[in-house]
Amino acid sequence: MTRPTVVFVWRRTPPPLLIGGAEVSQQLLAEEFVRAGWRVVYLGSHEAPWNGSAQIGHLRAHLQAHGTVWEEGDGEVRYRWNGVSCRAVPQDRVEATLKGLLTKARPDLVVTSQEQAADLASLARRSSRVAGWLHSVSANSMGVLHGRPHVALATSEFVAGRAQAHADTKVVAFYPPFAPAEGAGPLLAAGRGAASRILGGVLMVNPIPAKGAALLHQLIRRLPARRFTLVEGWWDTAGEFTAYPNVHWVSRTYAMGPIYAANDLLLVPSQVEDAFPRVIVEAGLHGVPTIGSSRGGIPEAVRDGGIILHPDDVDAWVQAIETADRAGLGPKALAGAAPLVRPCLPELAAAGLIPAAASAG
């Protein structure tokens, strides 16, 4: 019997290069399909869709660092990552390569998202079931709806409520996939210094302006006795923070488990309407509660496992950091996060994207 096939296609890099939550979520779902016996192809580009910059050097270096063999020729890089067949092509060949896959692989399902995904969805829906994954409420993410995917996977109820889909598209709330908490072993020396268990330690990931960097500066200055661990996100802002004596900076890392375990409070002070920040759930899986902004889907992710505040109320954030009942909130954060470590394919079957029989591993 022929195995069912799913194709993940977008204009960003395929696994294992992880830039943000969308990359992590899609990689985890692709790997779940592998475990369920599906043939999984992940098509992306080794050129950044936002500015055309070359990512192929980063891709080669990462594959080499992880002992992964790849084939390269005619501008394309091919390799396997955790059972997923990955292909990275130039931007101007993504659509043509997808056409070839649709003809040869005849996928049962195509999953697409982000930059110019509407064109990919429109192309794929002629022959396959198509899911458009809404990772945020930005125009860039919502744009896939113009391609009229059969189902729009909204990464939270908040995002689902913002989706303006064609009548042909069914919008469903689909929380991101999560893996069990990583072991809290010894921390790796990363960035500028090595961390250890910090009682009362405060953690923030991706300290950039949209995520609340201005508020963070004020908190660091007003709480000099608190140790703040900051983890590089979309770009390196170390120069803005490392002069503070109470800041420990960690360069971008995929090994977040020990970092969550080394702190007992997460800050998510976003100024923008985040969809459903993965870091909140990942921290919760380590029993770490969150103080989060009232923007977007942050309250939906925090639930009972933390405190929600207006991002402009500095005094309230200072007080919350000083007085938060970490011991009481930690178990609640874990209880809220644990159900999100679950099989996701049954939810895709319930949405009508795959047969129920094909959702079990």
Side-chain angles (χ1 to χ4, degrees):
M1 182 177 178
T2 304
R3 289 189 297 165
T5 299
V6 58
V7 170
F8 287 76
V9 56
W10 66 355
R11 298 181 185 277
R12 297 187 180 185
T13 48
L17 289 185
L18 305 178
I19 299 170
E23 285 82 356
V24 177
S25 295
Q26 294 195 174
Q27 178 176 326
L28 288 176
L29 186 61
E31 292 173 3
E32 183 178 340
F33 271 108
V34 170
R35 293 192 297 273
W38 286 59
R39 178 191 177 201
V40 184
V41 180
Y42 205 124
L43 170 61
S45 176
H46 52 66
E47 297 171 342
W50 41 84
N51 61 8
S53 62
Q55 304 293 307
I56 195 166
H58 297 296
L59 181 59
R60 291 189 193 112
H62 197 72
L63 294 174
Q64 185 173 18
H66 287 80
T68 301
V69 177
W70 71 92
E71 297 177 357
E72 188 172 341
D74 194 26
E76 179 173 346
V77 180
R78 294 192 184 205
Y79 55 95
R80 294 188 69 81
W81 183 265
N82 291 346
V84 178
S85 176
C86 299
R87 302 177 64 177
V89 301
Q91 283 292 337
D92 60 6
R93 285 174 46 191
V94 172
E95 285 193 36
T97 306
L98 175 60
K99 287 180 182 178
L101 275 172
L102 294 172
T103 300
K104 295 178 182 178
R106 302 184 63 83
D108 302 85
L109 175 65
V110 173
V111 181
T112 188
S113 67
Q114 301 302 89
E115 293 81 8
Q116 302 174 54
D119 296 339
L120 304 176
S122 180
L123 176 62
R125 78 185 311 275
R126 301 171 193 170
S127 57
S128 304
R129 295 289 287 171
V130 177
W133 203 331
L134 308 180
H135 292 288
S136 75
V137 294
S138 69
N140 182 54
S141 187
M142 290 288 183
V144 70
L145 296 174
H146 297 300
R148 295 165 63 175
H150 296 97
V151 175
L153 301 174
T155 201
S156 64
E157 294 285 358
F158 163 69
V159 173
R162 288 291 186 85
Q164 297 182 359
H166 189 275
D168 291 347
T169 299
K170 177 182 179 181
V171 179
V172 300
F174 178 71
Y175 290 121
F178 289 91
E182 304 169 35
L187 284 169
L188 298 176
R192 295 153 178 81
S196 57
R197 181 67 188 179
I198 306 163
L199 294 178
V202 180
L203 171 67
M204 182 180 170
V205 181
N206 199 11
I208 63 173
K211 302 298 185 179
L215 172 60
L216 181 62
H217 277 287
Q218 296 183 71
L219 298 176
I220 292 169
R221 289 194 292 264
R222 290 183 57 174
L223 296 169
R226 291 283 177 184
R227 179 75 179 276
F228 289 78
T229 297
L230 310 184
V231 181
E232 177 188 350
W234 293 349
W235 64 83
D236 186 354
T237 56
E240 299 180 26
F241 294 101
T242 51
Y244 293 115
N246 57 332
V247 165
H248 165 67
W249 179 268
V250 179
S251 297
R252 183 183 294 167
T253 176
Y254 298 161
M256 284 296 298
I259 297 173
Y260 290 126
N263 293 275
D264 58 20
L265 192 64
L266 174 73
L267 301 186
V268 183
S270 293
Q271 293 288 324
V272 296
E273 293 184 311
D274 282 338
F276 192 83
R278 292 189 59 88
V279 291
I280 294 172
V281 176
E282 291 171 355
L285 292 171
H286 288 83
V288 178
T290 296
I291 301 178
S293 162
S294 54
R295 305 282 193 207
I298 294 173
E300 188 177 344
V302 173
R303 301 187 188 273
D304 295 331
I307 300 167
I308 298 298
L309 300 171
H310 193 283
D312 296 333
D313 191 344
V314 182
D315 290 338
W317 283 78
V318 170
Q319 182 178 6
I321 292 172
E322 290 288 74
T323 63
D325 179 13
R326 291 157 166 81
L329 289 172
K332 293 180 180 179
L334 177 57
L340 293 176
V341 181
R342 84 285 184 197
C344 291
L345 299 196
E347 296 174 34
L348 301 186
L353 283 169
I354 61 175
S359 67

